[in-house]
Amino acid sequence: MDTTPVVTPRPPGPSQPGRSLHRFANPGRFLRISGVALPWVAIIGAVLTAIGFGAGLFLAPADWQQGDAVRMMYVHVPSAWLASGGYFGLAVCSLLSLVWRHPLADLAAAEISTVGAGFTALCLASGSIWGKPMWGAWWVWDARLTSVLVLFFLYLGHVALVRAFDDPTRGYRAGAILALIGVVNLPIIKFSVDWWNTLHQPASIGLTGAPTMHIDMFWPLAVAGFGYIFIFAAIVLTRTRSAVMERRIRGLLSARAERQT
């Protein structure tokens, strides 16, 4: 009689996706891949941003209504894109942290919130500078402006919350919950100019139609926008790499202290 045991393949369970995600989020693998990619990401971001700014400031035509004040668009609009896009990335990292306990999700979320707050501050500041000659005021309680200000406070709240607990894990969990709740503000920002009567102009670039601006103004804006994306990514990668290495150093120091005691 054959007594060889029959090995039945284990059916894929609900934990399989989580293990796969953990494999891709391994800190050592992240440091190796990001170390190779980071210089290229930073260089591409700097080159694209410089081309977009240069073309927007010196080659693009002035607007027939706003004149040269429209050139603030090449600073303001990409920062507005990254303010909302960065918060979406923060929410994704928070979801990965709460559901799959990603090793890097908490660290990445903490760095995204800091960088996103900076880009949102740039968006608000450049919008105020642009709004002064157009509206006659530095600030108005417009639906778009107010919802972006709320976004800025959500970023600051996340930055403060993850550092408000002695136990870092509790801070990361609280920050992740806040980030996911704040996602409801993103569609408000996007559709505020359609839902309410606002001073802010409607979007000139959409996913379902051609841009409403001239091509000589559109392509520098698009190039600058891609440059901002790469710069945002480069800053977040740099800060996350530093956080990973700092955690490793603390772990080594703690292990050494335990051996000495």
Side-chain angles (χ1 to χ4, degrees):
M1 179 181 295
D2 186 4
T3 59
T4 304
V6 177
V7 179
T8 303
R10 182 180 178 182
S15 62
Q16 294 293 329
R19 288 203 298 269
S20 176
L21 289 171
H22 273 283
R23 180 169 62 87
F24 287 109
N26 178 273
R29 185 175 291 108
F30 167 77
L31 289 176
R32 290 193 299 271
I33 296 176
S34 62
V36 175
L38 181 57
W40 293 100
V41 173
I43 292 172
I44 292 173
V47 171
L48 291 179
T49 303
I51 293 174
F53 281 179
L57 293 175
F58 302 108
L59 300 180
D63 185 72
W64 70 278
Q65 286 183 317
Q66 303 182 41
D68 285 327
V70 77
R71 301 187 192 281
M72 184 58 68
M73 169 179 66
Y74 303 103
V75 176
H76 174 71
V77 174
S79 62
W81 291 342
L82 267 296
S84 295
Y87 195 89
F88 182 78
L90 171 61
V92 171
C93 288
S94 299
L95 182 64
L96 294 175
S97 171
L98 290 175
V99 177
W100 287 290
R101 297 294 192 268
H102 251 234
L104 291 176
D106 291 324
L107 296 178
E111 305 309 328
I112 289 174
S113 63
T114 303
V115 180
F119 275 81
T120 308
L122 177 61
C123 170
L124 291 170
S126 58
S128 296
I129 296 173
W130 191 5
K132 176 61 175 177
M134 297 299 102
W135 302 336
W138 295 102
W139 179 266
V140 293
W141 291 103
D142 179 90
R144 172 64 64 81
L145 274 67
T146 304
S147 56
V148 173
L149 182 63
V150 171
L151 180 68
F152 180 61
F153 289 142
L154 286 170
Y155 272 125
L156 294 183
H158 186 275
V159 171
L161 198 56
V162 297
R163 295 165 175 82
F165 297 87
D166 293 333
D167 181 8
T169 302
R170 294 179 60 192
Y172 289 138
R173 296 290 88 76
I177 294 172
L178 173 65
L180 291 176
I181 293 174
V183 169
V184 70
N185 190 46
L186 295 183
I188 295 176
I189 294 174
K190 170 63 178 176
F191 298 107
S192 58
V193 294
D194 301 319
W195 292 344
W196 294 287
N197 184 20
T198 68
L199 289 175
H200 198 285
Q201 68 183 45
S204 300
I205 302 174
L207 298 176
T208 58
T212 59
M213 65 177 63
H214 194 273
I215 186 63
D216 289 340
M217 302 173 71
F218 169 73
W219 77 260
L221 179 61
V223 171
F226 280 110
Y228 269 53
I229 293 173
F230 279 93
I231 288 177
F232 189 100
I235 298 174
V236 171
L237 283 176
T238 300
R239 293 179 62 92
T240 306
R241 283 173 55 85
S242 299
V244 171
M245 289 185 283
E246 180 181 357
R247 174 174 287 189
R248 283 189 165 188
I249 292 172
R250 287 181 177 178
L252 293 174
L253 293 177
S254 298
R256 178 180 298 178
E258 291 178 358
R259 289 195 300 268
Q260 291 177 351
T261 56

